[in-house]
Amino acid sequence: MGKADFLTPKAISNRIKAKGLQKLRWYCQMCQKQCRDENGFKCHCMSESHQRQLLLASENPTKFMDYFSNEFKSDFLELLRRRFGTKRVHNNIVYNEYISHREHVHMNSTQWETLTDFTKWLGREGLCKVDETPKGWYVQYIDRDPETIRRQEEQARKKKQDLDDEERSAKFIEEQVRRGQDGKESDETPVYTELKRESEEEKVVFNLGACSSGAGPSKSSAVLGASALKASASSIKRKDVSSGSDSKEKRKKKSALEEIMELEVKKQQSFKTDYWLQPNIVVKVITKRLGEKYHKKKAVVMEVRDKYSAVVKMIDSGDKLKLDQNHLETVIPAPGKRVLILNGPYRDTEALLEGIDEKNFCATLTLDSGHQRGKRVDTAYEDFSKMA
């Protein structure tokens, strides 16, 4: 019977069958012969050429099996390294790509009976990282190339150097803070004295905006307003301050006023805390460790944990992240928008942004809640943020 023509249905069918993969159990690796069915494989095993190959393999069967096993392992790992790199991938995906090559070494001629046995062997030999999941076995190639190892060590060294610089900066700041606290504790405790007037007719006027630096008796009138001095110049005659006792008494008066002014300033500063996160405010991610996907992107604070960290939801992608307040900054909206004051004496107070002072890095806010509603205050950029 003659051979079928090139364009006949039988010839086309034969080419399609020859191109596709057949069953693995009907493949003879020694003869590199693929049979289409069980009958064809049986006929091949009884052929003279197959019997000659069996005689050659029977002389040293371990040699042939080791050769095929090494070929299968090297080709599989080379595909895994070139195609997937060091990514974690399902072993069946790699195997399907491997057997798509027509001239590949089949697994039935190697020392491994199944793909799972081969995957476990890769893990035991330290060639790959393997782990079992409900979906099957996953493999991850371990790159032991000297150039790759050198590059990874260089990156680790650079990262460690950056961390060391950050730690040194943090220690330096802590040392400065400790020295500042030690200096404050070493100051003398202020002595508060009672305010006394020399005569009933004398008027005492407090000018809190003035700041006197001298300690001499001739500068004790600096605490009095200029208008008060002019009004009382004709009616009040100052006594001669040449005696040492009078000068001491006036020095005490001046120190009491200064201490009252300092007490007011400290009272205002006592409202400032080192944490500022609040729920339902808009913040901006400033850390670069999360990649360009989140850097300089805005998020909404969903929950505050331990005062210094928060769970935020990205506005663009909707992803939820847990970040420290050092990795976030406040967001300043356009004038007319509602904000929340995060620090200072008006903490947790909603306000309306009236204007921005770029020169002094602050903004004018109108309080919109509380008993001081309608009051205007100047607040620094970091002490308020846009409300979600």
Side-chain angles (χ1 to χ4, degrees), residues 272 360-363 378-384:
K272 298 278 286 187
N360 296 323
F361 303 100
C362 64
D378 292 335
T379 308
Y381 287 164
E382 63 271 12
D383 291 342
F384 71 92

Side-chain angles (χ1 to χ4, degrees), residues 134-148:
K135 295 183 179 181
W137 286 87
Y138 282 80
V139 295
Q140 184 178 1
Y141 181 72
I142 300 176
D143 195 351
R144 303 187 185 277
D145 184 46
E147 181 64 22
T148 304

Side-chain angles (χ1 to χ4, degrees), residues 147-178:
E147 181 64 22
T148 304
I149 296 176
R150 186 195 63 79
R151 187 165 57 252
Q152 292 176 353
E153 291 178 352
E154 185 68 24
Q155 292 177 355
R157 192 182 305 109
K158 184 177 180 182
K159 184 177 180 181
K160 182 179 179 181
Q161 184 178 0
D162 294 340
L163 292 176
D164 292 342
D165 294 340
E166 293 180 1
E167 291 178 357
R168 282 196 294 267
S169 300
K171 289 182 180 180
F172 177 75
I173 294 174
E174 291 178 359
E175 183 67 19
Q176 295 294 330
V177 172
R178 185 184 61 78

Side-chain angles (χ1 to χ4, degrees), residues 167-231:
E167 291 178 357
R168 282 196 294 267
S169 300
K171 289 182 180 180
F172 177 75
I173 294 174
E174 291 178 359
E175 183 67 19
Q176 295 294 330
V177 172
R178 185 184 61 78
R179 290 181 180 178
Q181 292 177 351
D182 294 344
K184 289 182 180 180
E185 293 175 357
S186 62
D187 293 342
E188 296 181 358
T189 305
V191 179
Y192 302 103
T193 59
E194 183 181 359
L195 296 176
K196 296 181 180 180
R197 289 189 296 180
E198 296 180 359
S199 64
E200 294 297 332
E201 298 178 356
E202 183 181 357
K203 295 181 179 181
V204 178
V205 180
F206 297 98
N207 187 1
L208 298 179
C211 182
S212 57
S213 58
S218 60
K219 296 183 180 180
S220 61
S221 61
V223 295
L224 297 176
S227 59
L229 288 175
K230 292 181 180 179

